[in-house]
Amino acid sequence: MSDVEKQDGVEVGTKVDVSDDTSSTTAGRGEVLSLEDVDPALDAKMHLVNNVIDEIGWTPYHVKLFVLTGFGYAVDSLLLLLQSITSTQAVLEFQPSFSKGLTIASYVGLLVGALFWGMTSDIIGRRFAFNTSLLICSIFAIAAGASPNWEVLGLFVALSAFGGGGNLVMDTTVFLEFLPSKQQWLLTLLACWWGVGQLLAGLVAWPFLSDFACESAPTCTKANNMGWRYEWYTCGALVFVMSILRVTVIRLHETPKYLLGKGRDEEVVQGFRSLADKYGRPCSLTVEQLQACGVVNSEKGANAGKKGMRASIKELGAHLGGLFATRKMGLSTSLVWFSWTLIGLAYPLYNVFLPEYLKSRGAETGDGSNYTTWRNYAIVNACGIFGPVLAGFLCNWRVLGRRGTMVIGALVTMTFFFAYTQVRTSAQNLGFNCAISFCLNIYYGCLYAYTPEVLPSAHRATGNGIAVGCNRVMGILSAVVATVANTETVVPIWICAALYVVMAAVALAFPFEPYGKRSS
């Protein structure tokens, strides 16, 4: 077996013995995106880097990274549920004129956070956002519990969401850019942490909002309504612990694919050799091999941001343009953003309309007690953890791949949504809630993973941030619609459920299938 492959006269990879599963390479796998026509030097370097990632293989470092990036998933979902389950009691205490204010504040913060952390991470790197975003989130989450009025509470909720809003962008990006190709399916499994975050919020709410909550606005005071404040204090403290673990459990290296796009070849090799030495793995990559590939197009842009705001804006424009470098990449980017927009509108609206619709049809969905409410919250969110687990196995099956898994997830979710309109008892309500939570996360978990897999590494965080931003915009819209629309008619429910058919069709139309290929 030859030591080196040749591709157009350039050394592009070193083969190693594939008999050892922990250090084998899958160099025969192609990359999801071919950058040969866009940036041939980066394309050749990416092939080399993917080879050495496969050569080093799965290590304890990746196990730690799976947990620490999972924290960000958990925090994102925790924040969304947190403002939702505390809003009712905060409204009773503060009696604001616009009761949906916390929902909008949360989604605005998540939107700005996704765009800010996503776009800046392609310019200054992933490591800074990874190490600081959860700390910012935790500080303002704890402060939200001490809010003296509705306006201050909304401000702290928005600032906390800003800190946590970039984590869906950063977690998938960071984890993917260290992953061996044989373990890329774990990116889908990472979404199980989303359900963990929701479960945490529900479990904390169960005792606090059952025992420390007022029942009506005229008798509601801070003294007899401390439950929602305890919820923010406790969850904020949990996020703070997560932020500390992120910088103490591992010392995150800047991702190799970010460094590669910036032309920092020496740091790429140094990072791999440090990882290989620590865990006794081979690392055949050399600086000379990378430099022999040429200079990447973005290398000059990597230094442009240091020269002023105008240069930084120009570089941001280059990252946006890079997402549409070819017709196929442009189609893929547009369809991914469209999918995030659809799911961002359909799911929140359904949650808004369904309870009122069922109530108007005489359904008995529970005894209305706080204990039953938060018990059911915990059960439903626990079911959501296992949707991405199934999705992880399905997306790694050749017959389905990523696209087929999303189609199944969307259509099965749609089926349960339509059936849910016939619910008439509390047992049926809980059962259908659990089924939808499970099935929806099959689609959602796979979309989370698919998005960074089909984006070019140099522009991955920007494209991912905009995708998540589209989702947040729809969340804001859903809160406005819920305020002015008739929630007792069946039409919006059927429209929302039908959107899942569109999601399935869009998944079929995606031009890239990452199964069996390596991310660029």
Side-chain angles (χ1 to χ4, degrees), residues 184-207:
Q184 271 183 212
W185 66 274
L186 287 172
L187 197 63
T188 301
L189 182 61
L190 190 67
C192 70
W193 286 93
W194 176 270
V196 171
Q198 292 182 317
L199 178 60
L200 284 174
L203 289 176
V204 173
W206 192 349

Side-chain angles (χ1 to χ4, degrees), residues 155-473:
L155 174 63
F156 285 149
V157 167
L159 291 174
S160 179
F162 166 77
N167 278 280
L168 285 185
V169 179
M170 293 311 308
D171 294 333
T172 51
T173 298
V174 169
F175 192 47
L176 176 63
E177 294 187 356
F178 281 103
L179 265 182
S181 60
K182 292 172 67 175
Q183 279 79 32
Q184 271 183 212
W185 66 274
L186 287 172
L187 197 63
T188 301
L189 182 61
L190 190 67
C192 70
W193 286 93
W194 176 270
V196 171
Q198 292 182 317
L199 178 60
L200 284 174
L203 289 176
V204 173
W206 192 349
F208 287 148
L209 295 183
S210 294
D211 300 332
F212 303 96
C214 60
E215 296 182 357
S216 62
T219 61
C220 196
T221 65
K222 180 178 179 180
N224 67 5
N225 193 40
M226 287 295 293
W228 71 268
R229 296 179 185 272
Y230 294 152
E231 175 86 357
W232 279 100
Y233 291 146
T234 304
C235 291
L238 288 172
V239 177
F240 179 75
V241 172
M242 293 178 186
S243 70
I244 298 301
L245 291 175
R246 274 197 167 184
V247 296
T248 56
V249 172
I250 63 172
R251 183 180 179 185
L252 182 73
H253 302 286
E254 188 55 80
T255 66
K257 294 183 178 180
Y258 167 79
L259 295 174
L260 201 66
K262 297 299 182 181
R264 293 155 63 177
D265 296 343
E266 294 85 355
E267 293 179 57
V268 172
V269 175
Q270 182 181 0
F272 280 131
R273 289 188 175 173
S274 175
L275 185 64
D277 290 343
K278 183 175 182 179
Y279 296 107
R281 303 295 174 83
C283 177
S284 57
L285 185 67
T286 66
V287 176
E288 289 74 22
Q289 283 178 311
L290 291 175
Q291 292 179 343
C293 298
V295 178
V296 300
N297 293 340
S298 59
E299 185 169 351
K300 292 182 180 180
N303 297 319
K306 301 177 182 178
K307 300 177 182 178
M309 180 63 71
R310 183 179 299 176
S312 297
I313 294 175
K314 183 178 181 180
E315 186 178 354
L316 178 59
H319 285 302
L320 290 171
L323 297 168
F324 299 87
T326 66
R327 180 176 297 179
K328 191 173 182 180
M329 288 171 62
L331 175 62
S332 175
T333 300
S334 300
L335 289 178
V336 166
W337 289 353
F338 184 49
S339 295
W340 279 93
T341 302
L342 290 173
I343 190 68
L345 178 63
Y347 189 57
L349 272 184
Y350 204 93
N351 281 334
V352 165
F353 283 110
L354 188 61
E356 291 300 319
Y357 172 79
L358 293 177
K359 183 178 179 180
S360 71
R361 297 301 192 272
E364 297 293 335
T365 56
D367 60 18
S369 69
N370 282 333
Y371 178 87
T372 301
T373 298
W374 304 120
R375 181 204 65 186
N376 290 352
Y377 251 104
I379 294 173
V380 170
N381 290 318
C383 292
I385 295 174
F386 300 99
V389 177
L390 177 60
F393 286 102
L394 293 178
C395 76
N396 203 39
W397 185 21
R398 181 185 296 274
V399 176
L400 293 176
R402 274 58 161 173
R403 292 181 296 188
T405 301
M406 282 187 279
V407 171
I408 290 176
L411 293 181
V412 175
T413 302
M414 175 211 68
T415 301
F416 278 109
F417 271 170
F418 281 131
Y420 204 165
T421 60
Q422 304 306 310
V423 164
R424 292 296 179 268
T425 69
S426 59
Q428 292 173 348
N429 180 57
L430 179 58
F432 274 94
N433 258 310
C434 290
I436 288 175
S437 179
F438 177 85
C439 296
L440 177 66
N441 280 325
I442 295 175
Y443 174 86
Y444 236 147
C446 201
L447 181 63
Y448 282 135
Y450 180 87
T451 301
E453 281 189 297
V454 298
L455 294 173
S457 61
H459 320 296
R460 179 170 286 135
T462 298
N464 207 359
I466 294 175
V468 176
C470 292
N471 183 278
R472 308 311 190 193
V473 170

